[in-house]
C-alpha cells in the first residue's frame, strides 16, 4: 500500500487483527531507511545515549565480532543506497567513513576495538534512525546479547538483556498458547545470510514521544488519561515499527532493526481507506490485545473520534 505522509501502513486486507508470523521477504535487502526526520532523530538518539547509557545500550563482551559484522553490513547499506550522503574509503586496513549529513568523518581499523572511542554497535547506531538489537544463536535459542535502543515502545532493554526469544515475548497475550512463539523462533533460526525479512508492528500512543521506554513510563504514560473525543486527532499518534531481520554469516547472530514511525491520528485519517479500516480493526480488536498495547484507557474516545470523522465523509 502506498504510504501517506511516508507512514508504512501495517495492515493487510483483513479487518480482523490477530497476532501471526507476519514476516515477509525484504526484497531491497536494505536495513536502513532515511526519512526527513533524520537529523532530529540522530541528535535525540545521541542525547539519550549520553544521558542514559544504561537504559539505551547493552552488550556482552563476546559480541564484539558480531558487532563488527553489523558495522560492515550497515556501512555497506548506507554507501550503496545513499551514495550521496555516506562515503567509505578503505586504505591499508583502515576504514574512513564519512557521514555527509552530520558532516562527520570517522577513521578506524576494521575489527580493532581500540581504534573506536565506543563499541562498534554503539558507534554505527549513532548514524541511523533505527534501533539495533543483536540476538545471538546458541543451544537452539536466540538470546538478546547486545542492543542500542533509544525509541522503545514501552519495553526495557536493561530488563530484557540476556533473555531468550520466548522470555522476551512472554507478556504478549496468546503468544505461548498456540505454539506461535515456537513457530516464530523456528522460523528465525532458519533465516539465512543474504535473505533478510521484514515485518511491521503497530500501536497507538497518547503523545508523540519516540523514547517511550518502560523506565520513563511515569513521564509519558499519564497522557493516556487526557485523551478525549475532541483532542484525540491531535494528541493520539499511530505508531508503526518497521522491523528487519538479517543473519550475520560469520557469528551466526541475527541483527534485528526497528525503525519507529509516528503520525497523528488527524493526519492518518486524511486517507479515507485507512480511517475505514482502522476503525473496523480497533472496534473488533480483542480486549487482551488492546490491554497489552496500552490502549484501554482511551480506546472508546478514539473510536468516538473515528466514528465522527467517518460520518463527515
Ligand atoms: C528476533 C528479534 C525480536 C526481538 C528482539 C523482539 C523483541 C520484542 C519485544 C521487546 C517486544 C515487547 C515485549 C514486551 O511487551 O515487553 C516484542 C513484542 C512483539 N513481538 Fe517481537 N521481537 C523479535 C522478533 C519478532 C518476530 C519475528 C515476531 C513475529 C513474527 C514478533 C512478534 C511480536 C509481537 C506480535 C509483539 C507484540 C507487539 C504489540 O502488540 O504491540 N517479534 N518483541
Amino acid at each position: 500500500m502506498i504510504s501517506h505522509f511516508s507512514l508504512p501502513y501495517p495492515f493487510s486486507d483483513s479487518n480482523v487483527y490477530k497476532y501471526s508470523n507476519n514476516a515477509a521477504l525484504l526484497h531491497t535487502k536494505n536495513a536502513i531507511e532515511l526519512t526527513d526526520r533524520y537529523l532530529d532523530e540522530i541528535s535525540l538518539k545521541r542525547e539519550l545515549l549520553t544521558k542514559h547509557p544504561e537504559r539505551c545500550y547493552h552488550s556482552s563482551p563476546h559480541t564484539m565480532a558480531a558487532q563488527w559484522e553489523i558495522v560492515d553490513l550497515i556501512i555497506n547499506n548506507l554507501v550503496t543506497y545513499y551514495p550521496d550522503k555516506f562515503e567509505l574509503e578503505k586504505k591499508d586496513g583502515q576504514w574512513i567513513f564519512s557521514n555527509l549529513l552530520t558532516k562527520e568523518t570517522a577513521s578506524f581499523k576494521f575489527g580493532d576495538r581500540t581504534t573506536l572511542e565506543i563499541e562498534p554497535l554503539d558507534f554505527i547506531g549513532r548514524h541511523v534512525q533505527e534501533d539495533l538489537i543483536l540476538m545471538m544463536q546458541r543451544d537452539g535459542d536466540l538470546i538478546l546479547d547486545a542492543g542500542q535502543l533509544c525509541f522503545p515502545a514501552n519495553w526495557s532493554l536493561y530488563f530484557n538483556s540476556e533473555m531468550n526469544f520466548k522470555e522476551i515475548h512472554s507478556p504478549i497475550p496468546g503468544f505461548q498458547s498456540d505454539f506461535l512463539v515456537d513457530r516464530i523462533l523456528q522460523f528465525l533460526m532458519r533465516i539465512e545470510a543474504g535473505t533478510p525479512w521484514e515485518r511491521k508492528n503497530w500501536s497507538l500512543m497518547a503523545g508523540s514521544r519516540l523514547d517511550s521506554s518502560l523506565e520513563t513510563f511515569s513521564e509519558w504514560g499519564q497522557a493516556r488519561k487526557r485523551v478525549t473525543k475532541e483532542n484525540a486527532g491531535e494528541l493520539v499518534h499511530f505508531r508503526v515499527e518497521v522491523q528487519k531481520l538479517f543473519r550475520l554469516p560469520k557469528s551466526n547472530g541475527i541483527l534485528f532493526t526497528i525503525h519507529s514511525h509516528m503520525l497523528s491520528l488527524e493526519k492518518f485519517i486524511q486517507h479515507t481507506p485507512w480511517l475505514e479500516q482502522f476503525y473496523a480493526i480497533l472496534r473488533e480488536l480483542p480486549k487482551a490485545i488492546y490491554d497489552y498495547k496500552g490502549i484501554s484507557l482511551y480506546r472508546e474516545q478514539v473510536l468516538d473520534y473515528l466514528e465522527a470523522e467517518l460520518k463527515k465523509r
Side-chain angles (χ1 to χ4, degrees):
M1 166 110 37
I2 300 164
S3 48
H4 288 242
F5 301 99
S6 63
L7 185 85
Y9 190 67
F11 302 120
S12 62
D13 292 341
S14 172
N15 282 355
V16 178
Y17 181 79
K18 57 178 190 218
Y19 290 136
S20 63
N21 184 357
N22 58 348
L25 279 172
L26 173 63
H27 293 291
T28 60
K29 302 193 187 236
N30 181 13
I32 304 304
E33 195 194 338
L34 264 62
T35 70
D36 54 6
R37 309 256 322 121
Y38 178 81
L39 286 173
D40 287 344
E41 289 181 12
I42 292 300
S43 95
L44 175 58
K45 249 190 162 189
R46 294 180 185 194
E47 187 187 324
L48 288 162
L49 282 156
T50 305
K51 286 193 187 151
H52 310 286
E54 70 301 329
R55 197 170 90 203
C56 300
Y57 189 75
H58 162 82
S59 74
S60 291
H62 65 269
T63 58
M64 210 44 71
Q67 289 196 33
W68 282 109
E69 279 193 272
I70 295 173
V71 170
D72 188 13
L73 187 148
I74 290 184
I75 290 188
N76 188 30
N77 279 189
L78 289 174
V79 299
T80 303
Y81 296 101
Y82 305 99
D84 53 331
K85 300 186 174 68
F86 301 91
E87 291 170 356
L88 177 68
E89 200 188 329
K90 293 182 187 175
K91 229 170 31 197
D92 309 326
Q94 199 73 16
W95 286 30
I96 302 151
F97 169 64
S98 299
N99 180 337
L100 307 182
L101 294 170
T102 58
K103 303 186 175 56
E104 293 165 305
T105 295
S107 184
F108 53 89
K109 188 162 177 264
F110 186 82
D112 183 347
R113 162 71 186 89
T114 61
T115 58
L116 279 176
E117 278 176 23
I118 49 180
E119 292 197 350
L121 178 65
D122 197 6
F123 161 74
I124 200 59
R126 291 171 194 239
H127 291 276
V128 296
Q129 288 159 275
E130 281 77 6
D131 285 312
L132 305 173
I133 305 293
L134 170 64
M135 303 291 286
M136 291 302 281
Q137 189 159 321
R138 57 176 176 273
D139 305 329
D141 213 336
L142 289 167
I143 319 288
L144 200 167
D145 275 349
Q148 189 197 65
L149 181 79
C150 295
F151 305 144
N154 200 13
W155 64 283
S156 159
L157 176 67
Y158 183 80
F159 181 72
N160 281 2
S161 290
E162 311 303 325
M163 279 193 186
N164 67 26
F165 186 78
K166 279 194 195 179
E167 286 163 347
I168 291 171
H169 289 86
S170 61
I172 302 160
F175 236 56
Q176 318 289 330
S177 55
D178 54 1
F179 302 106
L180 186 56
V181 75
D182 295 289
R183 281 186 279 130
I184 296 172
L185 177 60
Q186 293 311 316
F187 152 75
L188 289 170
M189 290 198 302
R190 284 196 301 268
I191 287 182
E192 289 176 10
T195 310
W197 293 77
E198 86 172 315
R199 67 180 292 271
K200 295 186 193 80
N201 192 41
W202 71 274
S203 60
L204 287 184
M205 159 116 206
S208 60
R209 252 177 88 137
L210 273 174
D211 61 324
S212 44
S213 64
L214 201 56
E215 289 89 338
T216 56
F217 181 81
S218 60
E219 292 167 27
W220 55 268
Q222 297 299 323
R224 293 172 177 180
K225 296 179 191 156
R226 291 205 309 273
V227 179
T228 62
K229 176 184 169 187
E230 287 69 35
N231 70 16
E234 209 183 330
L235 179 57
V236 177
H237 286 68
F238 194 85
R239 181 171 178 143
V240 180
E241 291 182 356
V242 176
Q243 307 174 342
K244 298 180 183 172
L245 296 147
F246 294 79
R247 171 73 67 194
L248 304 170
K250 295 189 189 120
S251 60
N252 205 33
I254 297 243
L255 168 65
F256 180 67
T257 67
I258 312 166
H259 193 136
S260 300
H261 301 260
M262 259 198 294
L263 192 64
S264 65
L265 275 188
E266 64 189 0
K267 287 188 178 152
F268 179 88
I269 59 143
Q270 283 178 21
H271 186 49
T272 306
W274 289 8
L275 166 61
E276 289 169 350
Q277 190 183 25
F278 184 53
Y279 174 69
I281 286 176
L282 190 61
R283 209 183 43 195
E284 297 304 322
L285 198 65
K287 181 172 183 312
I289 297 188
Y290 66 72
D291 276 349
Y292 169 72
K293 285 180 181 284
I295 304 173
S296 314
L297 276 177
Y298 58 99
R299 177 173 161 273
E300 288 300 329
Q301 290 82 331
V302 169
L303 280 173
D304 289 347
Y305 165 73
L306 297 176
E307 202 174 311
E309 289 298 322
L310 268 174
K311 284 190 184 133
K312 293 185 199 160
R313 308 285 153 120

